[in-house]
Amino acid sequence: MRSLVTGATGYIGGRLAPRLLDAGHSVRCLARDARRLRDAPWADRVEIVQGDLTAPETLPAAMEGVDVAYFLVHSLGRSDFEEVDRVAAANFAAAARAAGVRRIVYLGGPEPAPGDRPSPHLRSRAEVARILLESGVPTAVLRAPVIIGSGSASFEMLRHLTERLPVMVTPRWVHNRIQPIAVRDVLRYLIGAADLPAEVNRGFDIGGADVLTFLEMMRRYARVAGLPRRFILPVRVLSPWLSAHWVGLVTPVPNAIARPLVASLVHEAVAHENDLAQLLPGPEPLGFDESVRLALGKIRDADVETRWTSASGRDAAAEPLPSDPDWSGGSVYVDERFRPVAAPADRLWRVIEGIGGENGWYSFPLAWSVRGWLDRLAGGVGLRRGRRDRHHLRVGEALDWWRVEEMVPGSLLRLRAEMRVPGRAWLEMRAEPDGSGGSVYRQRAVFLPRGLGGHLYWASVLPFHGIVFNGMARNITRTAETESLRGGAGEAVTHR
């Protein structure tokens, strides 16, 4: 079966394309700029056609020979998103009909209850659904509420609000009922909809196993994420407009996206039928807690170097992708330094592997000592563990308040912090040849905050980073250059 995926650079499309391939589909992706897909790990397995849904002359080539066409684009974030999506849907429908496409599949939003005045976002989604259902091509419209997965704008709002605010004043809509669904289940329904009988031309409600209020979702998110109980006080004075600005202030989700999403939360989003699940038998949809665990799995547990892959063995659909927007995937604070070194990479590596213990940390010894004492007072390990061997390390061993998480001899040392901090922290050091007999030293500190305390902790130590981390990079490279001049016969210089 040949499938066309529009929106392949977006949240759902970027996850659907590789799963269609795994299901045996031949996949063609339509993109306004084909270069945006070149770094996708599955790009060499799909056909990429450059085109624009608002430019109808570009669509016949995309639709040629297609059996199933997925409409997964929206212009949320633009002030004229309703008009743009209306034109895109009409062009898409006409091109699909002319090309003899067998089925259209569209992922839309929930239908407001009769008598409700829909938000512009939901009104636009309903209009697109109507255009596609009236196209003359059998169409399946999947009406999804909040989608749980890293990168979903609704989930990112939930994540950041809950993690950053232990006490919240919230609008009344936090009591509205929602039936959130895991992105894994959304993708399963999208793939299955391609095989629906030809006579099926209708909308379907889809949802997860739990019906919750937004307030309950925040509290259960906090519990799954290991955060203290959140205290939430609903009030009557926050209009959707004020709520959207409040969300924009507290979270990194852009205001242009937050506004229409928050306006949609004034409507309940609960499935009124379960017909698609009956037509597409499969596993039961996940509950909210398990969906959140999957979404947080990579952020919480994986090593920082492979956070864009599914090294943890969890469901990669729920985890971040490189194509996701910068504001998705949770907060990650990074301090990066690099310096050219007038010494070979093997000399630089000797200094890197010898760090810690009696050799010290090459920067501001008093600051490291004070931090170690504070850690011990808080019940942590401090700096008392030292190191097993003065010159050599191995994966898994303790190194002061760090643990050697990964090591590639001669090039990479990654340490995971075991000190008491409100989050998780890594320190990574690399030695890279520069091609001319010298080398480059790269240093990266990564911190994943846990709750508001984690964000405040990073802000409190940020003023010292220029002293500690810059001094560390400077002194490591100087030591490598000094040892290189001495012929490397001596031991590493002690920098306690």
Side-chain angles (χ1 to χ4, degrees):
M1 183 182 299
R2 179 176 291 277
S3 297
L4 172 68
V5 176
T6 62
T9 58
Y11 174 62
I12 292 295
R15 288 159 171 79
L16 177 64
R19 283 157 187 79
L20 285 171
L21 291 168
D22 293 342
H25 290 233
S26 174
V27 177
R28 178 184 294 157
C29 295
L30 176 70
R32 286 197 301 268
D33 185 352
R35 293 173 298 181
R36 293 185 61 195
L37 286 173
R38 65 186 176 191
D39 294 329
W42 40 264
D44 59 348
R45 301 169 58 199
V46 304
E47 179 188 356
I48 301 174
V49 175
Q50 191 156 303
D52 189 333
L53 292 180
T54 62
E57 69 277 6
T58 67
L59 301 184
M63 292 286 185
E64 184 180 0
V66 165
D67 299 302
V68 179
Y70 287 90
F71 190 92
L72 303 174
V73 299
H74 62 78
S75 304
L76 208 62
R78 294 180 50 154
S79 59
D80 59 346
F81 71 88
E82 289 188 82
E83 174 61 23
V84 173
D85 286 353
R86 180 184 305 117
V87 170
N91 291 340
F92 182 91
R97 182 174 59 251
V101 171
R102 184 173 58 81
R103 172 160 299 283
I104 291 173
V105 181
Y106 169 53
L107 180 63
E111 269 192 337
D116 277 3
R117 182 179 179 182
S119 69
H121 171 230
L122 294 184
R123 183 174 64 218
S124 175
R125 291 297 181 101
E127 182 179 26
V128 169
R130 178 185 57 76
I131 292 170
L132 298 178
L133 286 168
E134 295 175 357
S135 66
V137 178
T139 296
V141 174
L142 278 56
R143 297 187 288 257
V146 170
I147 297 176
I148 303 298
S150 186
S152 160
S154 298
F155 177 73
E156 296 301 338
M157 282 177 19
L158 172 70
R159 181 211 300 267
H160 289 289
L161 284 172
T162 309
E163 293 201 350
R164 295 186 177 189
L165 295 178
V167 179
M168 285 177 267
V169 177
T170 59
R172 286 178 297 170
W173 51 253
V174 298
H175 289 298
N176 289 347
R177 297 185 308 153
I178 301 169
Q179 192 169 349
I181 183 170
V183 64
R184 186 190 75 172
D185 292 320
V186 173
L187 294 172
R188 181 173 69 82
Y189 286 136
L190 285 170
I191 295 169
D195 293 317
L196 287 172
E199 64 271 16
V200 173
N201 185 64
R202 53 164 290 192
F204 297 92
D205 291 339
I206 59 174
D210 298 320
V211 175
L212 306 165
T213 66
F214 200 85
L215 185 149
E216 290 170 331
M217 288 168 59
M218 288 190 285
R219 286 178 171 161
R220 285 175 64 166
Y221 176 97
R223 185 169 67 245
V224 172
L227 300 170
R229 178 179 172 83
R230 272 27 201 165
F231 295 94
I232 301 168
L233 177 64
V235 297
R236 300 176 62 88
V237 295
L238 286 180
S239 68
W241 182 85
L242 285 174
S243 299
H245 284 279
W246 170 65
V247 169
L249 178 67
V250 174
T251 81
V253 179
N255 267 334
I257 294 176
R259 280 196 299 271
L261 289 180
V262 168
S264 299
L265 290 174
V266 302
H267 305 288
E268 292 201 334
V270 177
H272 299 291
E273 43 83 11
N274 195 35
D275 295 349
L276 190 62
Q278 305 302 317
L279 291 169
L280 304 174
E284 291 295 318
L286 294 178
F288 177 79
D289 290 1
E290 184 60 23
S291 302
V292 172
R293 287 190 187 98
L294 289 172
L296 297 182
K298 184 58 66 178
I299 290 294
R300 301 297 174 192
D301 297 330
D303 70 61
V304 281
E305 186 63 20
T306 57
R307 71 184 286 255
W308 300 124
T309 66
S310 190
S312 66
R314 292 191 170 93
D315 186 356
E319 298 170 355
L321 289 180
S323 56
D324 290 342
D326 294 340
W327 43 262
S328 68
S331 297
V332 181
Y333 294 118
V334 180
D335 183 288
E336 291 187 278
R337 316 270 171 171
F338 75 93
R339 295 178 69 93
V341 187
D346 62 333
R347 302 294 192 194
L348 175 58
W349 175 252
R350 281 191 55 187
V351 181
I352 293 173
E353 192 179 5
I355 201 166
E358 295 180 12
N359 296 329
W361 292 89
Y362 292 89
S363 177
F364 204 172
L366 179 60
W368 285 93
S369 297
V370 169
R371 184 65 182 86
W373 298 334
L374 292 175
D375 192 54
R376 292 192 64 179
L377 287 174
V381 297
L383 294 171
R384 68 181 185 270
R385 297 191 302 191
R387 53 180 293 153
R388 174 189 57 84
D389 182 282
R390 186 171 183 180
H391 303 294
H392 302 288
L393 294 172
R394 62 188 179 194
V395 173
E397 72 173 278
L399 175 60
D400 290 329
W401 62 45
W402 305 92
R403 180 76 57 180
V404 180
E405 182 175 87
E406 185 171 345
M407 187 171 72
V408 179
S411 64
L412 167 67
L413 175 64
R414 183 180 301 125
L415 307 174
R416 184 182 70 248
E418 294 186 340
M419 68 188 84
R420 296 267 183 167
V421 290
R424 304 191 67 186
W426 290 262
L427 178 62
E428 182 180 278
M429 291 161 279
R430 291 178 179 268
E432 300 176 354
D434 67 1
S436 60
S439 57
V440 176
Y441 173 69
R442 298 190 183 277
Q443 175 181 295
R444 180 168 65 155
V446 178
F447 182 64
L448 307 183
R450 180 171 172 265
L452 179 62
H455 295 279
L456 295 176
Y457 171 80
W458 180 263
S460 69
V461 300
L462 191 59
F464 301 101
H465 283 187
I467 300 173
V468 174
F469 288 131
N470 192 53
M472 183 178 176
R474 181 180 63 248
N475 291 329
I476 285 176
T477 57
R478 285 180 178 175
T479 301
E481 291 170 345
T482 300
E483 287 196 359
S484 181
L485 289 173
R486 292 175 179 173
E491 295 181 343
V493 179
T494 300
H495 285 267
R496 203 46 160 144

